[in-house]
Amino acid sequence: MLDVKRLRKDFDAVKKKLEKRGENIDELDRFLELDESRRNLIQKTEELKKRRNEVSQEVAKRKRENIDAQDLIDETKNVSINMKQYDEELRAVEEDLQQLMLTIPNIPHESVPIGESEEDNEEIRTWGEIPSFPFPVKAHWDLGVELGMLDFERASKVTGSRFVFYKGAGAKLERALISYMMDLHSDKHEYEEVIPPYMVNRESMTGTGQLPKFEEDAFNIREEDYFLIPTAEVPVTNMHRDEIIEGWKLPFGYSAYSACFRSEAGSAGRDTRGLIRQHQFNKVELVRFVHPEDSYSQLELLTGHAEKVLQDLELPYRVLNMCTADLGFTAAKKYDIEVWLPSYEDYKEISSCSNFEDFQARRANIRFKRDPKAKTEFVHTLNGSGLAVGRTVAALMENHQEEDGSIRIPKVLQNYMGGRTHIQAK
RNA sequence: GGAGAAGUACCCAAGUGGCUAUAAGGGGCUCCCCUGCUAAGGGAGUAGGUUGUGUAAACGGCGCGAGGGUUCGAAUCCCUCCUUCUCCGCCA
């Protein structure tokens, strides 16, 4: 959510910045009108409330002294009725304004390239050598089935399309990656480990920005109005919803393992094979709460933490600075990390690291105080995948495949895989 | 799932329509005094948040788990919901 005061004061400039996202934001024009009518009504209703309070006290005083107060009571009756009318109008206007504010995206940071499509994303750096294979490369969905690691067919029988069974070495590899990532981030990068609830309520989904605009992307448990989390970002950021954090605790972060659930509405026909786009996948998510003045250096730090995983796993990748068209609704700046995927002969997103500035903090009301007497301020929140586990498995299988059909396990994972150096057919 | 109880400040807690929520009384915390050393005593101070007008100082509104309602006036009465606890049932 944007700062209402800033929007009021600086309306045209803010609008101009939002237009660079290429989204339709005509709705924004209603803001000034709603804002003014809100403040008008507040003044009217508060004046009446003040009057009512004064009279009530006078009535109380007279009753104590056994003096008749009927004239005052009659007078206040009307005051109360008017007050309630204004209150009701005010409630309606505030509701409208709130709904409007919830649909306005974040303002892009000045370092974000202006663009119209993913073509305009800016490559910041690449790491590692794109492998060249002296034999025909296999896609992970073929390798996975041949090695008994993945079973897509039975998953679609048991559930439906875009689900998978991990089996044998596949299940073990998935579990090894989760453990390795969680250990790396908690032991070396000083995140606190978290396993969150996989379902959240509507307030949480609104707090991080999935709702109200993107409801069709999530799975909803109708009976309770809960949502299956599309990412651990949602429960973990909302852990501190409606809290005031003591300033000395900042910055801090959580490393959260969870399953993630996405309806993938609108992606029919894309990435139909393999692990790349599933309705359910595992992810280790990094979430940071930081001082506002530090959030851009914290974004670099966070991105580095995610990159370290790929470096340890010896997987080539590149980092992109996402342009205004590709930023998403909530981010002020976003780096995508894309891993090399031989079957695609291209890079594929494996982590998305964002600085939301105070956008989520305003929605979720997450604040801090620099010291006990200080004013409250909104924190800045950041998050990034560290990493998406399913896509990591795919990248690892494909990049580390050997001519004999086996898969080389990188050194950092070997202890987690019972000392094995390769996965091979039985 | 059934039955009951509770939710007031940093914590415990009093308050059952106006008689100070300007929140009793404890505890804790901060400062001061006395004492003089891992003690004890005395005194003072301890809503926070949010929002409106205003350049500001300031002056208002809201606040007793949340939201409604009744009333001139609600922590107090009524309704709905949430959370916690106890007992029963079920269950990994």
Side-chain angles (χ1 to χ4, degrees):
Chain A
M1 208 150 63
L2 302 184
D3 179 1
V4 169
K5 283 184 196 137
R6 177 172 175 195
L7 192 52
R8 187 187 295 151
K9 224 175 80 186
D10 227 6
F11 185 80
D12 293 325
V14 171
K15 191 178 173 187
K16 215 170 208 170
K17 287 189 176 171
L18 290 177
E19 274 165 354
K20 289 182 185 154
R21 287 174 159 272
E23 275 186 68
N24 183 5
I25 48 157
D26 291 344
E27 285 249 299
L28 193 58
D29 292 330
R30 288 173 56 225
F31 169 80
L32 289 174
E33 185 194 331
L34 281 173
D35 179 57
E36 195 179 334
S37 111
R38 170 175 170 269
R39 284 186 293 158
N40 243 315
L41 286 164
I42 285 175
Q43 282 176 50
K44 283 185 187 168
T45 185
E46 286 192 354
E47 206 174 302
L48 293 178
K49 277 180 188 169
K50 189 183 172 191
R51 177 78 192 133
R52 179 203 60 187
N53 291 347
E54 285 166 359
V55 174
S56 285
Q57 290 217 326
E58 184 59 25
V59 171
K61 198 173 154 202
R62 286 207 203 167
K63 291 250 165 162
R64 243 174 290 146
E65 294 164 2
N66 275 321
I67 302 171
D68 181 67
Q70 196 55 45
D71 54 328
L72 289 179
I73 290 176
D74 290 342
E75 182 204 324
T76 320
K77 226 171 228 174
N78 285 325
V79 173
S80 282
I81 289 168
N82 287 334
M83 192 187 81
K84 275 175 191 168
Q85 266 170 10
Y86 286 137
D87 260 350
E88 208 149 300
E89 282 177 50
L90 178 61
R91 208 185 305 166
V93 169
E94 285 194 322
E95 175 66 25
D96 266 16
L97 189 59
Q98 177 71 2
Q99 287 311 313
L100 173 64
M101 292 306 292
L102 287 176
T103 60
I104 300 173
N106 204 355
I107 300 170
H109 188 249
E110 56 192 16
S111 64
V112 171
I114 295 166
E116 288 172 6
S117 77
E118 60 180 19
E119 304 293 311
D120 301 313
N121 297 332
E122 175 193 355
E123 186 178 287
I124 304 275
R125 59 182 167 271
T126 60
W127 185 93
E129 292 278 314
I130 292 173
S132 59
F133 297 91
F135 53 88
V137 188
K138 289 179 180 167
H140 70 273
W141 52 85
D142 291 328
L143 284 166
V145 171
E146 280 167 25
L147 295 170
M149 298 167 72
L150 303 171
D151 188 338
F152 296 98
E153 277 186 25
R154 290 203 178 95
S156 66
K157 171 176 72 184
V158 169
T159 306
S161 67
R162 295 200 190 279
F163 286 89
V164 67
F165 279 100
Y166 286 86
K167 299 189 305 184
K172 198 179 275 293
L173 178 60
E174 180 91 0
R175 198 155 52 84
L177 280 167
I178 294 165
S179 295
Y180 155 71
M181 289 180 199
M182 289 295 276
D183 285 347
L184 172 72
H185 296 311
S186 62
D187 297 345
K188 300 236 172 78
H189 297 155
E190 299 187 318
Y191 288 79
E192 184 173 1
E193 252 184 74
V194 169
I195 300 176
Y198 290 3
M199 294 182 207
V200 296
N201 57 33
R202 191 168 279 276
E203 289 71 36
S204 295
M205 289 288 275
T206 307
T208 31
Q210 283 75 20
L211 296 182
K213 280 191 116 172
F214 308 104
E215 182 152 1
E216 62 169 21
D217 293 332
F219 288 110
N220 178 225
I221 311 292
R222 270 190 219 95
E223 291 74 14
E224 303 281 352
D225 204 25
Y226 289 163
F227 294 84
L228 289 177
I229 57 172
T231 158
E233 162 195 352
V234 179
V236 175
T237 306
N238 277 283
M239 277 173 80
H240 294 290
R241 173 149 55 85
D242 293 320
E243 290 184 9
I244 298 173
I245 297 164
E246 295 164 73
W248 60 267
K249 289 183 177 163
L250 300 178
F252 65 92
Y254 298 105
S255 161
Y257 158 71
S258 84
C260 303
F261 304 88
R262 299 188 181 177
S263 75
E264 296 298 343
S267 342
R270 290 174 64 193
D271 309 309
T272 47
R273 305 195 70 184
L275 294 172
I276 300 306
R277 193 173 299 274
Q278 297 273 303
H279 286 310
Q280 174 192 321
F281 60 97
N282 293 310
K283 182 156 61 71
V284 170
E285 182 76 3
L286 305 174
V287 179
R288 297 187 71 77
F289 298 81
V290 310
H291 287 110
E293 64 274 21
D294 293 340
S295 63
Y296 282 92
S297 60
Q298 288 281 322
L299 177 62
E300 301 302 322
L301 184 75
L302 173 85
T303 308
H305 293 155
E307 285 177 63
K308 179 72 166 68
V309 179
L310 289 168
Q311 292 168 9
D312 282 359
L313 297 175
E314 302 159 36
L315 295 170
Y317 66 87
R318 65 176 181 178
V319 179
L320 301 180
N321 182 8
M322 305 304 276
C323 77
T324 49
D326 230 1
L327 253 193
F329 178 71
T330 46
K333 179 169 186 170
K334 177 163 87 172
Y335 291 127
D336 268 12
I337 303 174
E338 297 186 335
V339 70
W340 180 256
L341 212 53
S343 63
Y344 278 56
E345 293 185 319
D346 201 357
Y347 289 100
K348 187 75 185 170
E349 176 191 342
I350 198 164
S351 173
S352 213
C353 301
S354 305
N355 182 3
F356 305 100
E357 298 190 2
D358 63 5
F359 188 83
Q360 290 183 327
R362 283 180 188 281
R363 290 180 156 242
N365 197 26
I366 306 168
R367 295 165 295 166
F368 76 103
K369 285 188 181 202
R370 289 180 194 268
D371 63 75
K373 296 254 188 266
K375 270 182 19 186
T376 60
E377 301 171 59
F378 288 104
V379 300
H380 280 195
T381 60
L382 301 94
N383 66 48
S385 345
L387 305 164
V389 182
R391 288 188 180 184
T392 306
V393 167
L396 194 152
M397 289 171 73
E398 292 190 5
N399 282 286
H400 296 336
Q401 62 183 296
E402 313 253 35
E403 189 153 17
D404 63 2
S406 70
I407 292 160
R408 180 175 63 84
I409 299 171
K411 200 148 192 164
V412 293
L413 276 190
Q414 289 175 4
N415 277 341
Y416 292 96
M417 293 288 289
R420 278 204 268 178
T421 59
H422 287 78
I423 296 171
Q424 39 216 352
K426 286 174 199 159

